[in-house]
Structure formats: structure tokens, C-alpha cells
Amino acid sequence: MTAISSRVHTLLLALVLVALVALIAMVATRAAGGPLDPAAPPSSTLPQVEPRSPIPQVGWDGVSPITIGSPGSYFLTRNLTQVPITIAAENVTLDLSGFTLSDTGSVSGISLSAGTKRNIVIRNGTLVGPSSGFAISATGAGRSTFSDLQISGWSIGLLIGIGNSATRINSHDNNEGIRVANVGVDFGGSIADSNLSHNAIGIELEGNNVVVRDSVMDANSSNGVDISGSWNEVKNSRMIGNSIYGAVLHGNRIVFVGNHIDGNVTAPVFDSGAGNIIGPISPATSTNPAANIGFP
């Protein structure tokens, strides 16, 4: 009887210990995790953090051209065909959201209304043309940015004035991949990290004080880059296999250094300007940092 009593006592003690451990674990879990169902929704959501307006606007009839008439941030919500977009305000960001704007006829895919429009951003989408018109016509833009765009099938892929930046532009199968016109009220400009190949001319650079760097202008049916403006710079870029020249320099005081320029049918560079600085066309073993690298 004493042995049975001792066993019962031991069993009861073990049960008490198990219950105590379970209680401690439950209390610790509640203290660390907090309530699983918060009493109220989060204090802010994405629309409040980054308010943006959809394009097309609510109530759009499905066929009319679209005009952005107020400053703000806008985003495309679908592919659009035969629907041009006009930006008629400053301080506008248009995110194409990965969608495609195609076949707008002889008019531009995206254009700016008359007058200078500063701080325009157009990014992140595809523009497919009808073999005429301009994918983006923005000669009136100032201090504006064009980036992450796929452009093909237009007379001119990206048409801008001086004082703007074009980055990560893939513009092909156009008459001109990018043209920088000699218009604009802002100084300077840049084209960087872009591929302007398989056009007639990769870059038509009429404006002044523009830097082209880290870009590819290959296999164009005329010239890789054609520069009539002055005080421009082309560096760390590639011009291979163009049907006439790798680069044509009609402007003055152009710096052309550190490029890979080879296999262009007529010649690497044609220079008719004044005071241009052109690094020598040297074999790949050259140690001159300004040399434009070719092959014997």
C-alpha cells in the first residue's frame, strides 16, 4: 500500500510540473508575440504614401487622345493602341508600368504641349511605332529624365532638347534612335547606359554640351553617332559594324576618348570640326587611357 501511495504521489507531482511548464510557455508566447488581431488597420497605406493617378482616367471613352493637364504622378494601367498622350503641365511623372503604347499613326506616342516643361519624368515602358512620327517628342522639356524605355519602329525614337537626361534607353529599328535637338533653355545633358543599335543613325546630336557615355551604337545602317553640335563628349562607348562611320564629328571642341570603335565600313571617325580632341585609334594593347580601342 505504501508503494502504491508513493507512485500516485509521484504521478501527481509530474502532472503538476507539466501543467506549470505549459502555463509558463503560454504566458511567454503571449508576451513576445502580442495580439494576433490588431484593434485597428494600419495608420497608412500605399495610396497615402505615394498618391498617383491612373492613365487612362476613370470615365475615359476608350478612343480619345489623353492629356495630362496638372502636375503630379501618373501611371499607365493597360496597353494602349492608337491613343497618343500629351503632357501639358510641368512637374509630371508618367510611369508606363511596363505597358506598351503602340501605333499612334503619324503623331507622337507621347508629346509635350507648346512651351517649356521642366521636371518631366517618363519611364518604364515600351513604345512601338507605325514607322513614322516620334515615340517621345519632348524638345520643350527642361531638366527632365527619360529612362528604362524600349522603343522601336518610329522615325525618331526619343526626340529631346538640351538639358535633359536619357538613361537605359533601348531604341532600335528607327530612323534615329535618339536625337538631341539644338533647342532648350537648360544647359548640358546626358545619354548613358543605352543601346542605340540597328537604326539608320544611333544618335543624332545637334545640341551642345551633352555627354554620351557607357552606351552602344552598333550595326546602324549609316553612322553610330552623328554630332553637329559643339562642346560634346563621347566616352566609354561602343561603335562597331556601322555601315558608314562609327562617328561623324561636324561640331567643334568635341572630346571623343576611351571608346571601342571597330569594323565600321568606311572609317572609324570622320572629323570635319575644329578643335576636336580624338583619342588615337589604337590596338587593344594600348595603355593610353584616352585611346579609342580598335584592332589592326
Side-chain angles (χ1 to χ4, degrees):
M1 190 61 116
T2 302
I4 293 173
S5 176
S6 177
R7 290 173 184 171
V8 170
H9 179 74
T10 300
L11 180 60
L12 289 174
L13 181 60
L15 291 174
V16 169
L17 288 174
V18 169
L20 182 61
V21 169
L23 179 62
I24 292 172
M26 182 174 64
V27 170
T29 300
R30 290 181 62 84
L36 296 179
D37 298 315
S43 60
S44 66
T45 58
L46 184 59
Q48 282 77 52
V49 174
E50 185 186 3
R52 302 196 299 169
S53 301
I55 296 294
Q57 301 94 331
V58 175
W60 178 61
D61 62 11
V63 294
S64 297
I66 294 171
T67 297
I68 296 173
S70 300
S73 182
Y74 299 82
F75 65 101
L76 200 61
T77 60
R78 69 186 83 172
N79 296 325
L80 293 178
T81 301
Q82 296 184 333
V83 179
I85 297 175
T86 299
I87 297 175
E90 292 190 309
N91 305 309
V92 168
T93 293
L94 175 57
D95 187 344
L96 300 180
S97 307
F99 289 108
T100 297
L101 183 66
S102 60
D103 190 14
T104 54
S106 60
V107 300
S108 302
I110 301 172
S111 63
L112 306 186
S113 63
T116 301
K117 305 288 188 295
R118 284 189 172 88
N119 302 321
I120 303 297
V121 176
I122 300 174
R123 66 188 183 204
N124 189 29
T126 299
L127 297 102
V128 179
S131 76
S132 61
F134 312 137
I136 297 175
S137 178
T139 55
R143 295 293 177 232
S144 296
T145 301
F146 307 86
S147 64
D148 301 292
L149 297 169
Q150 305 288 326
I151 302 173
S152 62
W154 302 84
S155 176
I156 299 177
L158 176 60
L159 174 61
I160 56 178
I162 60 175
N164 301 290
S165 299
T167 307
R168 295 182 301 278
I169 307 297
N170 186 347
S171 185
H172 61 90
D173 295 294
N174 309 286
N175 188 46
E176 298 174 16
I178 294 178
R179 179 190 289 185
V180 182
N182 192 26
V183 295
V185 296
D186 290 302
F187 199 70
S190 65
I191 298 171
D193 302 312
S194 294
N195 190 338
L196 298 316
S197 301
H198 290 280
N199 302 284
I201 298 174
I203 299 175
E204 183 76 44
L205 187 46
E206 299 172 341
N208 304 324
N209 306 99
V210 176
V211 175
V212 178
R213 61 175 177 80
D214 302 311
S215 294
V216 176
M217 291 78 79
D218 289 353
N220 294 288
S221 63
S222 180
N223 305 314
V225 56
D226 197 321
I227 305 177
S228 55
S230 298
W231 299 285
N232 293 301
E233 183 174 354
V234 181
K235 62 182 181 180
N236 302 329
S237 294
R238 193 177 79 191
M239 287 139 277
I240 294 178
N242 295 288
S243 295
I244 303 181
Y245 294 101
V248 174
L249 312 181
H250 293 301
N252 304 320
R253 299 177 182 266
I254 296 167
V255 176
F256 189 90
V257 296
N259 300 293
H260 183 182
I261 181 163
D262 198 61
N264 300 286
V265 174
T266 302
V269 177
F270 176 81
D271 179 21
S272 64
N276 294 328
I277 298 174
I278 303 173
I281 309 297
S282 302
T285 55
S286 173
T287 58
N288 182 346
N292 297 291
I293 300 302
F295 292 88

